[in-house]
Amino acid sequence: EYAHQRQVELVCPEEKAIITPNGIDPKRFEAIPGKSEDDNGYFNIGAVLRIAPIKDVKTLVNAFYYAKQREPSLRLWIMGPWEKEDTYAKEVFALVDSLKPQDLIFTGRIDVTQYLGRMDATILSSISEGQPLTILEGFAAKCPAIATNVGNCEGLIYGEGDDVLGHAGIVTDTMSVAGLADAMVQMARNPELSKQMGIIGYNRLMAKYQLSQMKETYYNLYRKMAEIKGCEWNETPYKREDRR
């Protein structure tokens, strides 16, 4: 739906356009570390992002502050880089110093495969996105997603053409402290439902958003264009490994 809307906005003739979803390699997440003893009693939510205005980290911090007061089991991990002299990053850390929320962890730049196995859910508070790969990476680790309704977040979480699978998380309004807080509390208080949402996300990823599927689509597109233009095509036939 999101890709189709963008196609219309750009005045692209439908008969000349195809939708090619981004994809990731789920094999990267097949043997990742799981929860540690330190995770006992916590519902871990991971935000894989850079600390920048477009990610609206201030709203995320405020939302976690209020959610934590309602649900003590919550723990938020903000996992991504920031520039030490960046004005926005300084404002974010000043807000944290002011609120002093418990169980809020900044990791800096990380290898996501070393952390996502410990998460119970992922979260994205952006005010603008395309098709976030971080949601797909969370799905690969069977993590449901909380995300604002920007870009293709709703399609990834609620489905687009595969909505029969069900919801793989919760979509909220942008810049909504209450919306993000409610979603975090709902996830933490319904861990079995959250796990089921994570499985739905994994199934959605495997059905439509694998890197191999994206490569196959591009391969077929270029092959077709070569045929239309009468160009010689010497590429090796593409073979996609079935990961289901």
Side-chain angles (χ1 to χ4, degrees):
E1 280 297 323
Y2 169 72
H4 182 264
Q5 290 170 4
R6 290 294 296 152
Q7 171 184 308
V8 172
E9 289 171 7
L10 295 171
V11 198
C12 297
E14 291 191 35
E15 68 275 9
K16 293 186 177 181
I18 62 171
I19 297 170
T20 306
N22 288 329
I24 66 163
D25 181 3
K27 290 183 289 186
R28 291 179 56 216
F29 300 87
E30 286 182 347
I32 59 177
K35 286 182 172 290
S36 67
E37 290 186 8
D38 182 57
D39 297 317
N40 291 338
Y42 284 107
F43 189 91
N44 288 327
I45 298 181
V48 181
L49 49 79
R50 70 184 189 280
I51 298 179
I54 199 169
K55 301 300 183 181
D56 198 13
V57 184
K58 291 181 185 178
T59 294
L60 177 58
V61 169
N62 275 303
F64 177 72
Y65 173 78
Y66 290 109
K68 179 70 174 178
Q69 294 182 41
R70 294 163 55 191
E71 179 50 58
S73 69
L74 283 167
R75 181 163 61 179
L76 177 64
W77 301 69
I78 296 181
M79 300 177 282
W82 64 87
E83 297 294 333
K84 290 184 178 180
E85 300 304 320
D86 181 76
T87 300
Y88 184 77
K90 289 180 179 179
E91 292 173 356
V92 168
F93 289 120
L95 176 62
V96 172
D97 288 341
S98 174
L99 295 176
K100 294 181 172 57
Q102 293 184 331
D103 297 315
L104 171 56
I105 301 168
F106 290 88
T107 66
R109 189 184 300 276
I110 61 158
D111 175 355
V112 292
T113 63
Q114 298 302 306
Y115 282 83
L116 282 181
R118 298 177 62 186
M119 299 300 119
D120 296 288
T122 63
I123 192 165
L124 198 62
S125 52
S126 304
I127 58 175
S128 179
E129 285 285 351
Q131 185 196 341
L133 295 181
T134 57
I135 291 180
L136 296 179
E137 290 175 337
F139 286 172
K142 296 184 175 65
C143 289
I146 298 168
T148 46
N149 191 10
V150 294
N152 198 37
C153 293
E154 184 176 55
L156 294 178
I157 293 174
Y158 291 161
E160 45 184 359
D162 65 347
D163 46 298
V164 67
L165 289 173
H167 291 184
I170 301 172
V171 178
T172 74
D173 293 330
T174 56
M175 303 183 75
S176 174
V177 171
L180 287 171
D182 287 346
M184 284 189 270
V185 171
Q186 182 179 338
M187 285 271 195
R189 290 181 178 174
N190 297 275
E192 291 305 315
L193 176 61
S194 296
K195 288 181 181 179
Q196 182 59 37
M197 286 180 170
I199 293 171
I200 290 171
Y202 177 80
N203 291 336
R204 179 162 290 138
L205 161 69
M206 298 302 285
K208 190 173 182 179
Y209 300 104
Q210 295 187 62
L211 180 62
S212 58
Q213 293 163 322
M214 183 181 74
K215 288 181 177 179
E216 183 178 21
T217 300
Y218 277 113
Y219 176 89
N220 291 332
L221 174 62
Y222 282 107
R223 179 179 53 79
K224 182 177 181 180
M225 290 302 298
E227 291 175 358
I228 292 173
K229 295 296 183 180
C231 299
E232 186 176 0
W233 183 258
N234 296 319
E235 296 292 328
T236 303
Y238 184 81
K239 294 182 179 180
R240 173 163 60 90
E241 181 182 2
D242 189 353
R243 297 302 306 169
R244 297 190 197 186

